[in-house]
Amino acid sequence: MTKRYGMWSYTVGAAAARTGDEMSGPALLLAGYALTGSAAVGSALLACVTATAPLGGPVFGVLLDRSARPGLLLAGALAGYAAALGVIVWSLGPVPLPVVLVIAAAAGLAAPALAGGWTSQLPRVVPAASLPRATAFDAMTFNLAGLTGPALAGIVAGLAGADVAVLTSAALICLALPSARALPPPRDHARRATPTTSIGTDLAAGFRAVFRTPPLARATAASMSSCVGQGILVAYSPVAGERTFGSAAHGTILLSVVAASALTTNALLARRPHAVRPDTVMWCSPLLLAGAFLLAATGRPIPTIAAMVLVGVGEGPQLTALFAIRHREAPVPLRSRIFTTGASLKITTFALGATLTALLAPAQHPLPLYAATLFECLAASAYIRVRGPECRFGSTQRRVRACDGGER
């Protein structure tokens, strides 16, 4: 009963925090415009939150790995992120904009806690035999958040105002605090000594583990390239809505179709978690995404909707497979920093995809979708071809010595 309660507590907390996170972006965009009269302010706020996340992820991962109470540290990061959202709403208007942007940038440092930081704790919640199924449920919380978060932002903003939408997203994140605090501590927490290495050394160890462990290197390279394509799709969705259905607003509906399809696919995968090897998914899903982007490039309504369904079928299992490979390959002492570093790298490449769309979209042609197709093909190729140094790890202890430069 304790294990079952622990998994439900984990899932509910992760879903609440990630829904609040997905809601906060659109809510900040709406609040920036509503409270200042400038759409550029909302875009600047979102850019600041996104820009600093890649910096905060690896550092937060090191702190989690060092902590004897990672759940308490995770709860603190969530509380700080939620508080920053409230301060941003209060500051817009009375406080000079550069100060507000600094607050948004500080909030972004904690953003990876909602993704990789939380997922890295999953093996402490469920037994090893249940981890594949639990990983699928964990990935479903991202799909659920992507489906409901933006919709909630629009509904709450329409009914009560954009500032209330931001505060609602902060409240959802706060709902996850009890679940975060209740996360089990490391099994060796009573024996943990004060770290003898610097944070810089631990950061380097985390990056070495990601890029020098062949399965992790392949999965990271493939997910980064695929995430560029996904970033292109999200940024291009208003153009796709206008081009295909005559209204840019329909682009959000297309993204909802993607999220619903990913959620459904992962729900089916959770019933049979061993049906497909995660390594197979990591190179097959980008090829499916590439085909879906080409289908969407036709600009016809039915093929475009079918393409969004296929995108979800590809994206959902890919995230589950990525988590499964990280859980399988990450040394226990480095697990948190591997997850948060991976999350930071994906945020960076997603932003790159959005930037590419801004450069290519004015051509009034589905050129961004062709670019996304190229990046998905590169993702599949990366997983098949990328090799790290030949380093065969026979045990967790040997893996820690190879990636961390010694035992702790």
Side-chain angles (χ1 to χ4, degrees):
M1 289 296 292
T2 301
K3 292 179 180 178
R4 186 176 181 183
Y5 172 78
M7 185 58 206
W8 277 109
S9 177
Y10 173 97
T11 303
V12 170
R18 289 162 180 167
T19 300
D21 184 36
E22 289 288 344
M23 183 179 180
S24 66
L28 285 173
L29 286 172
L30 295 172
Y33 178 74
L35 298 178
T36 67
S38 172
V41 172
S43 299
L45 288 172
L46 187 58
C48 286
V49 171
T50 306
T52 55
L55 301 176
V59 175
F60 186 72
V62 169
L63 297 177
L64 277 178
D65 284 331
R66 286 171 169 238
S67 177
R69 294 288 305 277
L72 190 61
L73 181 62
L74 182 59
L78 298 181
Y81 188 71
L85 291 176
V87 172
I88 289 171
V89 170
W90 174 82
S91 302
L92 279 174
V95 177
L97 181 60
V99 176
V100 182
L101 295 179
V102 169
I103 297 171
L109 293 172
L114 285 74
W118 203 304
T119 298
S120 68
Q121 306 305 305
L122 185 57
R124 296 179 180 140
V125 177
V126 297
S130 302
L131 188 57
R133 187 166 183 263
T135 299
F137 278 114
D138 186 39
M140 286 170 60
T141 65
F142 285 94
N143 307 141
L144 179 65
L147 180 62
T148 60
L152 277 175
I155 292 171
V156 175
L159 294 176
D163 54 343
V164 178
V166 177
L167 295 177
T168 302
S169 69
L172 282 171
I173 294 171
C174 288
L175 286 177
L177 293 179
S179 295
R181 290 194 50 158
L183 284 169
R187 292 175 183 172
D188 63 342
H189 70 284
R191 302 192 303 273
R192 286 202 171 191
T194 302
T196 58
T197 54
S198 67
I199 289 181
T201 300
D202 285 355
L203 280 172
F207 279 102
R208 283 198 301 271
V210 170
F211 293 108
R212 290 176 63 86
T213 307
L216 288 176
R218 290 195 293 272
T220 300
S223 66
M224 288 174 65
S225 183
S226 184
C227 210
V228 176
Q230 294 166 25
I232 290 174
L233 175 65
V234 171
Y236 185 73
S237 60
V239 180
E242 176 70 33
R243 183 169 175 260
T244 306
F245 299 102
S247 171
H250 286 81
T252 59
I253 298 176
L254 294 177
L255 295 181
S256 296
V257 172
V258 173
S261 175
L263 181 62
T264 302
T265 305
N266 271 336
L268 295 174
L269 189 63
R271 297 176 63 88
R272 299 187 64 187
H274 301 287
V276 185
R277 294 180 67 247
D279 304 86
T280 302
V281 173
M282 283 304 299
W283 67 266
C284 286
S285 64
L287 295 179
L288 179 61
L289 291 172
F293 292 149
L294 288 177
L295 187 61
T298 62
R300 298 169 183 252
I302 294 179
T304 298
I305 293 173
M308 296 303 105
V309 173
L310 290 177
V311 169
V313 172
E315 282 188 3
Q318 184 188 102
L319 185 62
T320 302
L322 178 63
F323 288 167
I325 291 171
R326 287 178 182 163
H327 283 309
R328 185 187 71 200
E329 301 294 335
V332 174
L334 306 178
R335 181 185 291 131
S336 295
R337 74 195 79 168
I338 286 173
F339 272 89
T340 55
T341 298
S344 298
L345 292 172
K346 288 191 67 176
I347 291 172
T348 301
T349 52
F350 188 92
L352 174 61
T355 303
L356 285 174
T357 304
L359 297 174
L360 299 175
Q364 294 299 320
H365 190 273
L367 187 60
L369 293 177
Y370 294 141
T373 301
L374 174 61
F375 277 103
E376 296 301 338
C377 292
L378 290 175
S381 177
Y383 195 79
I384 295 171
R385 293 181 176 275
V386 168
R387 293 289 186 272
E390 289 303 322
C391 182
R392 301 296 181 183
F393 300 116
S395 66
T396 297
Q397 287 74 24
R398 288 175 58 198
R399 190 177 303 180
V400 172
R401 285 197 294 270
C403 297
D404 205 19
E407 293 199 58
R408 301 200 188 181

